Amino acid sequence: MKPIKQAIAFSLLLTTFFACKEQAIMQPEPTLVTNQGVVNATPASLGGIITNGPALPSLTIVEQTYIPSNDLWAHTRCHAWRVTWPTYPVGTSPSLIPTMFSVATGTTYSFNFLNNTSATNTYKTNFNLYHQNELTTVYEMGSELTHVFGAGDKLENTRFNKSKFLAATIETWVKGRPDLFELYWEDTVDTATKIQNYQKGDIYLYKLVNQNRYGGIRIVSVTPRIIEIYSAEPNQ
């Protein structure tokens, strides 16, 4: 009986181990990056510091495009990014940390960068990712972003919804059925323009209202900060 008990104990240990491991949707290896312009970018071109700031460690963006292998669903592909922020020195100004994300360019931008460049760069952004542990549409960032005021329809209006699906389900959408981001979007009173105090493991669906585009955001880790963004788009 003793060997049987030991086998059961070992089996339970393995189950616990794998249950605690991160459910990987995107692989973190940099070999998956398809946009070398992002990989080799300078801090400024990644939306980092351009004026009156110290040099800060750069974040890492892993980028991948998934096209469904089944021709029935291949009309929609999923563009995905895994953003990993470094540990910043104590006292780093929030304005210097890249936080505003653009789905169109797959780039994060700091408030410092956006406020000291053309307003068109602000218009390209969709939502905040890092600042104050919030997901916030660019419309709501007027206190941080100079060019928000008076921009009107030039800004993308984003809505967020807490996902009721597990990471494993979202993975099937990302890799095999990106069109399901739209199909399972719930346009209800629960949609929000701001999500406060997100936590590790949270998954949110989003809708870019002006473009009628859909996707997801997964909080992989808070310390260190790792966030994945998924965007369903026509496969043209």
Side-chain angles (χ1 to χ4, degrees), residues 102-117:
S102 168
V103 172
T105 64
T107 304
T108 53
Y109 299 91
S110 70
F111 302 144
N112 175 283
F113 179 89
L114 294 175
N115 291 337
N116 289 281
T117 58

Side-chain angles (χ1 to χ4, degrees), residues 99-201:
T99 185
M100 297 300 299
F101 190 78
S102 168
V103 172
T105 64
T107 304
T108 53
Y109 299 91
S110 70
F111 302 144
N112 175 283
F113 179 89
L114 294 175
N115 291 337
N116 289 281
T117 58
S118 169
T120 57
N121 287 320
T122 298
Y123 304 158
K124 292 177 185 177
T125 65
N126 303 109
F127 40 75
N128 166 69
L129 287 174
Y130 185 101
H131 185 59
Q132 295 184 339
N133 289 20
E134 293 181 353
L135 304 179
T136 317
T137 183
V138 64
Y139 263 110
E140 300 281 348
M141 302 301 292
S143 60
E144 290 84 10
L145 295 175
T146 303
H147 301 301
V148 164
F149 293 105
D153 292 340
K154 294 177 182 177
L155 297 175
E156 179 57 67
N157 194 358
T158 307
R159 291 288 185 271
F160 305 102
N161 216 337
K162 183 72 176 291
S163 174
K164 59 187 177 184
F165 299 99
L166 299 177
T169 300
I170 299 299
E171 180 178 10
T172 65
W173 298 5
V174 169
K175 298 180 179 179
R177 286 290 306 274
D179 61 313
L180 294 181
F181 280 106
E182 178 176 0
L183 183 64
Y184 284 101
W185 170 258
E186 296 184 21
D187 198 2
T188 69
V189 292
D190 293 329
T191 59
T193 57
K194 178 184 289 189
I195 300 293
Q196 296 178 302
N197 300 317
Y198 56 64
Q199 304 294 320
K200 175 181 177 180

Side-chain angles (χ1 to χ4, degrees), residues 59-90:
L59 49 73
T60 301
I61 300 178
V62 176
E63 179 181 359
Q64 181 69 21
T65 300
Y66 297 94
I67 301 175
S69 57
N70 190 323
D71 290 342
L72 290 175
W73 322 122
H75 55 79
T76 305
R77 65 187 180 186
C78 187
H79 214 145
W81 301 269
R82 183 184 179 99
V83 184
T84 301
W85 283 264
T87 300
Y88 294 105
V90 175

